[in-house]
Amino acid sequence: MPDIQDVLNQYIDRAKLLLNEGKVKEAYGLCMKVIETDPEHAGALDLRETIQNSIQNYNIHNIDAQLEKLKPLWEKGEYDKLIKQLTELYRYAPHYEKLEQALSQAQAMYRQAYTKEESSRQTGYAQELEELYKAQKFQELLETMQKNARKAAQDKNINELHEEYKRKIIEYKIAEKKELFASEKYEDIVNFLYQLQDIDKNSERVKKLLATYREKLLSTQIDDKREFILRASENAKNLFQLGKFEKAMIVAEEILHIDPKSPFAKQIWGSARSKYEKILQDETEDQIAKNYVTAQEERKVSPEKYTRL
């Protein structure tokens, strides 16, 4: 019965012949069979290294040829296509310095081109908003910003631009109502300020004015408590029916400030709060879903921005 080492040595001799014939895959397969049987077999380990170096050199030669063919993409600035093709080549020679440098450069050039293009788009968008503001086309301006709300959520510069124009519109509208604010028509003023919250519900300017004029409104109506509660209750009911649950809660709180035991105010406040929290939850889930889709799209375009574990 032949010795096992003799059999393994015969495999290696056969693998060398196959390698000389250019049958690299078959030679490598025989070599690995020997290593599986004897992981310390010197001849098999040496041959495996020889085959791997041969494959590496073959791949590098082909990669160099492919890099030459990619020159037109460099000249045209088609860096997204370059990244895709270079990444594919990287699979075959992950430590080839020339390829690594080309891929790194393509990624840097892509980021630079993208940043320049994005900056140009933002400049044009800012000019569009400014033209609408100067023409006092505030409704169209607000609608334009609403259409780009998703971009604003992802881009700090666009978000700041939106906040600036909402503030400017609010200040313009307040200035327009100079005579109203100088009067004692507190109910009209409060209703006007509620309308401004439709532009920006987080406006600190509007919040402070509302606090001031709600207090003035309450003080003028304190002598006719019953009438105020009746009107406020009707207002809260209408706001609730219109789906303006946050404002309905505010009005209910005003009623409770005068009549803490009001069953109606407690009921409308609780119902409005439940509805409002549901809307916030739905908006949050919708934004998470949109961000996920956006991230998936960006990952396809710029995989280098993401890390895989």
Side-chain angles (χ1 to χ4, degrees):
M1 182 175 181
D3 182 72
I4 184 65
Q5 288 300 321
D6 291 338
V7 174
L8 296 179
N9 290 335
Q10 289 176 14
Y11 277 5
I12 294 302
D13 291 339
R14 175 60 181 161
K16 290 178 179 179
L17 289 174
L18 290 170
L19 183 60
N20 290 333
E21 293 172 2
K23 298 178 180 179
V24 179
K25 188 174 181 180
E26 291 87 340
Y28 190 76
L30 273 179
C31 182
M32 292 308 296
K33 284 184 178 180
V34 173
I35 292 175
E36 288 173 5
T37 304
D38 181 4
E40 304 298 328
H41 194 287
L45 294 174
D46 290 342
L47 184 58
R48 182 179 66 177
E49 183 177 357
T50 298
I51 294 173
Q52 289 175 341
N53 289 337
S54 175
I55 293 173
Q56 179 78 354
N57 292 333
Y58 177 79
N59 286 344
I60 288 175
H61 176 74
N62 285 333
I63 287 171
D64 285 339
Q66 290 297 319
L67 290 176
E68 285 294 318
K69 293 180 180 180
L70 294 178
K71 283 185 176 180
L73 294 180
W74 287 102
E75 295 169 357
K76 295 177 182 178
E78 297 180 357
Y79 303 117
D80 53 339
K81 293 181 180 179
L82 268 170
I83 291 172
K84 182 178 180 181
Q85 296 195 36
L86 290 171
T87 301
E88 182 65 24
L89 292 176
Y90 191 78
R91 294 171 50 199
Y92 300 101
H95 302 296
Y96 183 32
E97 185 176 356
K98 185 177 180 180
L99 177 58
E100 286 182 334
Q101 290 176 350
L103 180 56
S104 177
Q105 184 180 359
Q107 291 170 340
M109 295 298 289
Y110 175 82
R111 287 192 293 269
Q112 181 179 342
Y114 178 82
T115 301
K116 184 177 180 181
E117 183 180 346
E118 186 63 23
S119 176
S120 176
R121 281 198 297 266
Q122 289 185 12
T123 300
Y125 181 57
Q127 290 175 348
E128 178 187 359
L129 297 184
E130 181 63 18
E131 289 174 2
L132 290 172
Y133 179 77
K134 287 181 177 179
Q136 297 182 19
K137 296 180 179 180
F138 299 142
Q139 186 58 38
E140 186 176 346
L141 196 160
L142 291 169
E143 290 173 355
T144 300
M145 291 194 295
Q146 182 59 38
K147 290 177 182 177
N148 290 277
R150 180 177 172 184
K151 290 183 180 179
Q154 299 169 350
D155 191 303
K156 179 182 177 182
N157 293 330
I158 295 179
N159 183 63
E160 290 178 351
L161 190 65
H162 284 190
E163 292 300 318
E164 177 187 353
Y165 278 100
K166 285 189 286 187
R167 179 186 58 77
K168 290 170 72 173
I169 292 172
I170 286 173
E171 289 298 334
Y172 186 94
K173 288 184 174 291
I174 289 175
E176 273 189 326
K177 298 291 184 179
K178 183 178 180 179
E179 291 184 4
L180 176 63
F181 280 96
S183 72
E184 294 182 356
K185 298 178 180 179
Y186 302 130
E187 186 173 359
D188 291 343
I189 294 172
V190 168
N191 288 334
F192 170 71
L193 291 171
Y194 279 144
Q195 292 174 9
L196 291 186
Q197 283 195 319
D198 289 337
I199 296 175
D200 183 5
K201 67 179 181 180
N202 297 316
S203 170
E204 291 298 324
R205 172 89 157 116
V206 175
K207 286 180 181 178
K208 289 179 181 179
L209 287 173
L210 268 173
T212 298
Y213 285 97
R214 279 204 303 260
E215 184 176 347
K216 289 183 178 182
L217 178 61
L218 289 173
S219 66
T220 60
Q221 296 175 331
I222 199 68
D223 293 333
D224 196 354
K225 176 180 176 181
R226 185 176 302 173
E227 181 182 349
F228 169 75
I229 291 178
L230 182 64
R231 285 191 295 161
S233 298
E234 187 65 25
N235 189 22
K237 180 180 178 181
N238 291 336
L239 288 171
F240 185 91
Q241 291 174 342
L242 291 172
K244 298 183 178 181
F245 305 115
E246 185 178 14
K247 293 179 180 178
M249 289 169 61
I250 293 172
V251 175
E253 288 171 357
E254 291 175 354
I255 297 172
L256 291 169
H257 181 72
I258 295 175
D259 182 7
K261 296 182 179 180
S262 171
F264 171 83
K266 290 180 179 180
Q267 186 272 329
I268 202 75
W269 187 89
S271 299
R273 180 185 178 184
S274 297
K275 295 282 187 180
Y276 183 62
E277 288 179 346
K278 180 63 169 59
I279 290 173
L280 291 180
Q281 181 180 349
D282 291 344
E283 288 177 349
T284 300
E285 292 175 354
D286 185 56
Q287 187 60 51
I288 290 172
K290 288 179 179 178
N291 289 343
Y292 177 78
V293 172
T294 300
Q296 291 295 94
E297 292 173 351
E298 290 182 352
R299 183 178 286 113
K300 293 178 181 177
V301 176
S302 305
E304 75 280 358
K305 294 182 180 179
Y306 298 85
T307 301
R308 289 185 177 275
L309 298 178

